[in-house]
Amino acid sequence: MPVEGWRRPAWAEVDLDALAHNTSLLCRVVAPARLCAVVKADGYGHGARAVAHTLLAAGASSLGVALVDEGIELRDDGIDDEVLLLAEAPGTSLGDAIDARLTLTVGSLRGARELAGAAEHRSPMPVHVKVDTGMHRQGVAPDDLGGVLELLGAAGLAIGGVWTHLSVADGAGTHTEAFTRSQLDVFRRALDSASDSIPDGAVLHAANTAGALSFPEARLDLVRVGLGIYGYLPHPSMQAVLDDAGAGALRPVMSVKARVSAIRDLPAGARPSYGRRRALERPSRVATVPVGYADGYPRAMLDGGANVLIRGRRMPLAGVVTMDQLLVDCGADTDVDVGDEVVLLGSQGTERITADEWATALGTISWEVLCGIKQRIPKLAVT
Ligand SMILES: *Cc1c(COP(=O)(O)O)cnc(C)c1O
């Protein structure tokens, strides 16, 4: 797969058909709520520029980012649609955020005052106000919502929306379910108490992927979906929601691939890589693959028992992952050779390695796996 400026045989494929499939599937499931496609952290590692246009074409009504710089990058790429900032912008970046026509979130009284000051000389897009209903990360206290809305109104700012964020909608079990319902209750009460200051048409939103799937009442006017559009469920049990909707399955969007760069046949007892951590149990062909932890293939994958795919077969690592390269134990009877395709994430033949499999090996979540794939790995859009 020759690409200009690409000299190392290691790359990620971003399947834009899968991305469009997931987006339109999720739009159908949550309708009439609209879908804000979350592209923070470089589109969860997929490349925000690579995915943004496809997401909008497939039905997303807006894009969500965490940083002012991420929003400006989308504007620089020619995105004209609404870009919602999912966190309160630092006071020092408000001018740039307003100039880039980003939709700002206010999440504190202090932030409301700063924005009121910044807006004296510029007019921002209608502002969204975030309410803290139990996540305790950002957001105004429910009792302060009315006051913040009045302050913003007095400064001449239009209110575009009011929202909150769920903290356990991806967990299974009655305890987490009860907490999500209590967050939605707190949100509803805050909206009621501030209703005089909330204009008709203000967009109300609460749900991430998990909330959108598991709690239909959380869909409100808009859902903010990240993980789902990239092809993963927050919890396997949520497939039932898609089945009930006759929606089918999501399709993972990103694959990470490379080509074998070197081969050696080693005797039993050899201990490849740093620290001589693991002895080969039998004579083995060991393949070198030009991807390492600096690319987002974590060192902890060895202890996690990770596999890669070569020639359609699962093969274990042969030693600790290094910064730029990793080693694979291809076994005794194999003709694996330099140039063979290696799939680190994705499918080959009938085998498939998912971000959920990486997450299990690493003791983390698929979100962290996906956004951990570094920019050092070029992202190739494929259809
Ligand atoms: C990241 C983020 C989302 C998307 O979450 P997913 O679980 O990936 O769907 C939604 N809302 C906010 C505020 C976020 O920060």
Side-chain angles (χ1 to χ4, degrees):
M1 193 158 302
V3 169
E4 209 179 327
W6 176 68
R7 300 184 182 85
R8 171 175 67 152
W11 69 97
E13 293 175 8
V14 176
D15 182 342
L16 297 182
D17 287 340
L19 186 74
H21 163 86
N22 299 335
T23 307
S24 59
L25 180 159
L26 290 164
C27 283
R28 274 199 309 278
V29 169
V30 303
R34 284 175 288 154
L35 186 145
C36 169
V38 179
V39 298
K40 63 188 177 187
D42 202 28
Y44 285 42
H46 295 64
R49 286 162 185 257
V51 299
H53 295 274
T54 300
L55 292 166
L56 291 163
S61 64
S62 58
L63 300 174
V65 295
L67 311 183
V68 173
D69 296 277
E70 292 172 342
I72 291 173
E73 184 187 331
L74 295 172
R75 289 285 181 249
D76 288 346
D77 201 38
I79 299 286
D80 233 12
D81 301 67
E82 182 176 28
V83 175
L84 174 63
L85 265 176
L86 298 172
E88 191 172 79
T92 48
S93 68
L94 287 174
D96 289 340
I98 294 170
D99 290 346
R101 291 172 293 110
L102 306 182
T103 299
L104 294 164
T105 282
V106 164
S108 66
L109 199 55
R110 177 201 173 101
R113 290 202 191 97
E114 279 179 336
L115 180 58
E120 277 178 20
H121 310 290
R122 300 172 163 92
S123 51
M125 305 293 286
V127 172
H128 287 222
V129 178
K130 178 172 188 189
V131 186
D132 179 9
T133 58
M135 172 80 177
H136 302 325
R137 179 177 66 172
Q138 284 220 328
V140 304
D143 288 345
D144 291 343
L145 176 61
V148 166
L149 290 168
E150 278 165 30
L151 192 159
L152 294 170
L157 288 153
I159 303 303
V162 184
W163 64 282
T164 191
H165 193 44
L166 304 174
S167 59
V168 289
D170 52 341
T174 48
H175 175 70
T176 59
E177 217 175 294
F179 191 76
T180 298
R181 294 195 202 290
S182 83
Q183 282 196 272
L184 294 170
D185 277 347
V186 172
F187 187 49
R188 252 178 247 115
R189 271 186 270 124
L191 292 172
D192 285 346
S193 69
S195 60
D196 290 348
S197 311
I198 302 174
D200 289 345
V203 179
L204 307 179
H205 50 112
N208 50 11
T209 301
L213 291 176
S214 299
F215 297 88
E217 70 272 34
R219 291 173 191 160
L220 304 175
D221 298 321
L222 178 81
V223 298
R224 306 179 305 267
V225 174
L227 191 70
I229 57 181
Y230 303 106
Y232 288 95
L233 291 169
H235 193 274
S237 63
M238 294 176 191
Q239 181 57 43
V241 180
L242 300 184
D243 291 343
D244 287 348
L250 300 174
R251 282 161 44 192
V253 172
M254 180 156 54
S255 305
V256 178
K257 301 182 179 179
R259 292 195 184 281
V260 173
S261 56
I263 279 288
R264 66 208 70 234
D265 291 304
L266 296 175
R271 292 173 170 271
S273 196
Y274 288 128
R276 309 186 70 248
R277 287 270 304 282
R278 197 169 285 182
L280 297 176
E281 283 167 14
R282 49 187 175 7
S284 238
R285 174 162 278 206
V286 169
T288 304
V289 180
V291 173
Y293 59 78
D295 301 300
Y297 195 94
R299 248 178 123 253
M301 286 291 246
L302 176 67
D303 289 334
N307 288 162
V308 307
L309 306 177
I310 308 177
R311 299 203 171 192
R313 283 179 43 214
R314 286 180 169 269
M315 299 183 182
L317 300 183
V320 77
V321 176
T322 74
M323 191 181 291
D324 318 298
Q325 301 176 75
L326 57 83
L327 300 169
V328 180
D329 181 351
C330 303
D333 307 311
T334 178
D335 44 8
V336 169
D337 208 349
V338 169
D340 280 0
E341 182 189 81
V342 185
V343 171
L344 305 167
L345 177 70
S347 51
Q348 192 185 55
T350 56
E351 288 285 355
R352 170 189 272 197
I353 293 174
T354 64
D356 292 321
E357 181 176 328
W358 282 41
T360 302
L362 294 166
T364 184
I365 54 176
S366 52
W367 291 258
E368 188 178 27
V369 168
L370 294 175
C371 71
I373 304 298
K374 301 288 183 350
Q375 287 190 330
R376 201 181 188 215
I377 297 281
K379 309 296 179 334
L380 307 184
V382 298
T383 51

